[in-house]
Amino acid sequence: MFYGTDLSSRLMLGTAQYPSPAVLREAITASGAEVITVSLRREGKDGGAFRDILKDSGCRILPNTAGCHTAGEAVTTARMARELFGTSWIKLEVIGHADTLQPDPFALVEAARILCADGFDVFPYTTEDLIVGERLLEAGCKVLMPWGAPIGSGQGLRNIEGLRAMRAHFSGIPLVIDAGIGSPSQAAQAMEMGFDAVLLNTAVAKALDPVQMARAFGQAVAAGQMAYTAGLMPRRDMAHASTPVFGMAELLP
Amino acid sequence: MISVLGAGVAGLCAATAIRDRGLDVEVIVPEGSPPPVSRLAGGMLAPFCEGESAPETVVARGQKAVDWWASHVSGVEKRGTLMVAAARDGTELDRFSRATCQHTWVSPAQLEPALETRFTRGLFFEAESHMNPVEALADLRRSLVSRGVRFHGQAPSGQIVDCRGLAARGHLPDLRAVRGEMLKVHAPDVELTRPIRLLHPRFPCYIVPHAPGLYMIGATMVESANAGGISVRAVMELLSAAYTVHPGFAEAEVMETGAGLRPAFPDNIPAIRSLLGAIHLNGMYRHGFLMAPILAEELAQQLAGTSGQTQTRKHVHAC
């Protein structure tokens, strides 16, 4: 449950960089995503035509504060988003470094505290750091969004052990892998590890065929989720014959 | 009589194609209308590069644009497009090569010696062209006037062909604005002879030589209807990208900055739409110089009653 909302598709899709709004719409449909994110920092209030296209998709909209570098900027952008989209959901991004696009955990916690107190349902884009995660929960967040890898890098889950530890540490908290996912297999891997959803943009938007790629991601996320629910077999160091040994025919005379 | 509304690239191409067929045409530009946004264009005829994000119809049909322009205006330069990327963005170049066609791998400095050793490899789209868009539009207008076409701001007296871009939004509810920002600089220390496109994951840019030492640097793409002046961010991003291409741009003089709103339909494909009372030629998006002549010819053929077996309708494969 994400702030009281259950989602049947666990893929969340970004809406930037597509060849056209028409292709974006097709990709959303093909992916089966029920949540889409949209940035506001650059488009501002004058991006109404594009926002109307997104609203028409019927998806739940998760506005984001992409491009904000300070808590103040992010809070202002979040309030504008609430006004424009009529939703209390906000994907909180406070970028600490323009080159790596790594989140600034200090400003993130500060902005989360302000926004949670103001009635927002905050989805903070964070790292796999456990202490930062705890501080965000203390601030009032009920979902965490750790990165897989730097935004747009397509590197997949760069710190698997760290993410595994995070999953174990925050066992009851919805965790969404946000950023860095490049291929459907990486998305499936995140879901197999027990993450609750995957959010991505570039891997679909910049594919040679975004609609096909969106479909591939939708299926991979569903497969990963199904596998996690079904219960994955544990790894073993030794071989383990899958055919029983007892009762085999004696072929030697 | 055909009354073309608007004197941007769509309007002037439409009026020209109509006049070429011997029909009477007038161009309506009301007193005090803002200048057309197509004056801010790069003036590139780059169907293959555009194929990275544009659909096949733009790539296939846009290939005819160069012949149209070369037969109507002077100054069409057939020197191709050179695509480069910083070494660390080499994978962007690989991706671009997979997403497009009609290119060859080159050593950039062999084509443009001024690039020296800054880029070890590049993609060359030999069949592409460019021109100075302001001069090209002026040429079309002069030619129309010399052939008796009247430009005026009074009421239209004939069949309406509406080419007003975003000003026609009231009739085309799905038309939206896509903001673009650009600069023109005078850089006497930089000697580039063809459009250079720099691939960058966040700040892509192109540099188009409009005259010796004069370059257009563009262009941002923002889903916004804000028509205000260029933003500081756009200036910084575009100029830092240009500086990456050639450090001589640091000494350039900024001659002009501009921001305009591209009219676009949801699929970003320019189109002719026949509505009650008017035929619309709109949604040029970033393909005005590439697609306006193609659609203008199609429209003129319809109006002249010779539609059907037309050249522009013939299916052309993109690659």
Side-chain angles (χ1 to χ4, degrees):
Chain A
M1 295 283 264
F2 304 87
Y3 289 102
T5 299
D6 204 5
L7 301 171
S8 48
S9 166
R10 298 304 182 85
L11 174 62
M12 302 181 178
L13 214 50
T15 55
Q17 305 183 78
Y18 283 82
S20 69
V23 173
L24 165 62
R25 283 288 302 271
E26 264 187 82
I28 293 171
T29 305
S31 75
E34 292 161 26
V35 173
I36 53 176
T37 73
V38 56
S39 75
L40 281 170
R41 184 77 192 86
R42 197 159 192 183
E43 289 75 12
K45 294 194 178 194
D46 298 307
F50 186 66
R51 282 199 297 277
D52 287 345
I53 292 172
L54 298 181
K55 285 179 189 166
D56 281 350
S57 72
C59 285
R60 182 158 195 136
I61 291 178
L62 173 59
N64 67 53
T65 63
C68 292
H69 286 256
T70 65
E73 239 184 315
V75 167
T76 307
T77 305
R79 287 182 175 143
M80 183 168 81
R82 179 165 64 181
E83 196 181 305
L84 292 174
F85 287 106
T87 175
S88 56
W89 279 24
I90 189 77
K91 179 189 155 188
L92 181 61
E93 248 184 81
V94 188
I95 298 303
H97 197 280
D99 206 39
T100 61
L101 299 181
Q102 181 168 340
D104 174 343
F106 306 97
L108 181 69
V109 171
E110 187 189 331
R113 192 166 285 133
I114 297 168
L115 291 173
C116 289
D118 196 9
F120 280 90
D121 298 324
V122 178
F123 293 67
Y125 165 61
T126 181
T127 66
E128 64 276 37
D129 191 287
L130 302 181
I131 312 302
V132 174
E134 286 176 355
R135 291 282 187 276
L136 287 166
L137 297 182
E138 274 168 30
C141 298
K142 294 189 168 54
V143 174
L144 297 175
M145 303 226 288
W147 62 352
I151 296 173
S153 69
Q155 294 175 13
L157 307 181
R158 204 159 70 157
N159 178 3
I160 294 229
E161 294 313 322
L163 288 168
R164 215 186 291 284
M166 186 175 197
R167 178 66 284 180
H169 189 74
F170 296 106
S171 60
I173 305 294
L175 298 181
V176 182
I177 294 289
D178 176 13
I181 297 294
S183 64
S185 58
Q186 295 164 354
Q189 184 187 21
M191 296 306 293
E192 285 172 4
M193 286 167 67
F195 285 94
D196 297 277
V198 168
L199 193 158
L200 54 95
N201 185 353
T202 309
V204 169
K206 295 300 243 181
L208 300 190
D209 182 343
V211 178
Q212 279 289 83
M213 190 61 87
R215 188 170 290 120
F217 268 104
Q219 293 178 6
V221 167
Q225 185 193 7
M226 209 183 294
Y228 177 72
T229 313
L232 291 154
M233 65 168 279
R235 273 176 74 111
R236 290 194 185 90
D237 291 337
M238 301 295 286
H240 182 272
S242 48
T243 324
V245 176
F246 295 109
M248 280 172 83
E250 294 206 20
L251 299 175
L252 290 174
Chain B
M1 172 66 82
I2 312 288
S3 304
V4 171
L5 312 188
V9 68
L12 292 175
C13 286
T16 301
I18 293 164
R19 190 74 195 91
D20 284 351
R21 279 169 183 73
L23 301 174
D24 278 334
V25 58
E26 61 179 354
V27 179
I28 313 291
V29 192
E31 200 79 20
S33 318
V37 290
S38 36
R39 81 191 189 286
L40 303 174
M44 288 178 292
L45 302 174
F48 302 108
C49 284
E50 289 301 312
E52 186 251 339
S53 56
E56 182 169 315
T57 175
V58 171
V59 181
R61 303 176 73 201
Q63 291 172 42
K64 293 173 181 300
V66 59
D67 289 338
W68 193 94
W69 284 106
S71 65
H72 285 91
V73 306
S74 57
V76 176
E77 301 278 351
K78 300 179 182 177
R79 295 190 55 78
T81 305
L82 180 58
M83 179 75 65
V84 295
R88 67 175 221 175
D89 299 325
T91 53
E92 299 287 322
L93 214 47
D94 295 328
R95 178 189 170 276
F96 202 91
S97 78
R98 290 201 308 274
T100 56
C101 60
Q102 297 291 318
H103 50 60
T104 49
W105 287 101
V106 294
S107 293
Q110 281 179 353
L111 287 171
E112 295 289 348
L115 294 176
E116 298 184 86
T117 55
R118 284 186 290 282
F119 305 98
T120 50
R121 59 191 190 124
L123 279 175
F124 183 44
F125 294 79
E126 192 173 5
E128 298 187 336
S129 319
H130 73 281
M131 66 191 128
N132 181 326
V134 176
E135 285 173 9
L137 294 179
D139 273 3
L140 286 187
R141 186 173 177 137
R142 256 193 308 275
S143 161
L144 285 166
V145 170
S146 75
R147 289 188 285 163
V149 175
R150 219 159 65 81
F151 286 68
H152 65 83
Q154 287 122 44
S157 60
Q159 149 93 56
I160 290 176
V161 172
D162 192 333
C163 304
R164 291 178 297 149
L166 275 178
R169 206 168 359 186
H171 301 283
L172 301 165
D174 60 346
L175 196 69
R176 76 185 197 287
V178 180
R179 178 176 161 90
E181 296 150 288
M182 51 75 82
L183 300 107
K184 286 183 187 173
V185 302
H186 180 224
D189 298 343
V190 179
E191 202 181 321
L192 299 171
T193 66
R194 51 171 65 78
I196 312 288
R197 291 189 182 214
L198 177 73
L199 278 178
H200 186 287
R202 269 172 280 160
F203 320 133
C205 96
Y206 50 76
I207 299 167
V208 190
H210 280 171
L214 281 176
Y215 298 93
M216 182 272 190
I217 302 171
T220 58
M221 302 268 288
V222 188
E223 290 284 349
S224 167
N226 172 11
I230 192 168
S231 69
V232 169
R233 177 205 287 267
V235 173
M236 291 194 301
E237 289 176 2
L238 291 172
L239 289 182
S240 70
Y243 179 71
T244 306
V245 171
H246 196 300
F249 280 114
E251 309 309 321
E253 181 184 348
V254 176
M255 308 297 287
E256 187 186 336
T257 64
L261 301 179
R262 306 174 181 94
F265 290 122
D267 57 6
N268 290 346
I269 303 176
I272 298 170
R273 289 202 188 162
S274 296
L275 301 181
L276 201 62
I279 304 174
H280 289 262
L281 180 54
N282 214 320
M284 292 300 123
Y285 184 53
R286 49 185 275 167
H287 306 310
F289 280 78
L290 189 63
M291 291 300 286
I294 315 302
L295 294 178
E297 288 297 326
E298 193 179 308
L299 176 80
Q301 264 153 0
Q302 277 176 26
L303 291 170
T306 57
S307 64
Q309 295 74 45
T310 64
Q311 285 188 328
T312 49
R313 275 295 179 194
K314 203 160 61 184
H315 184 73
V316 187
H317 279 290
C319 297

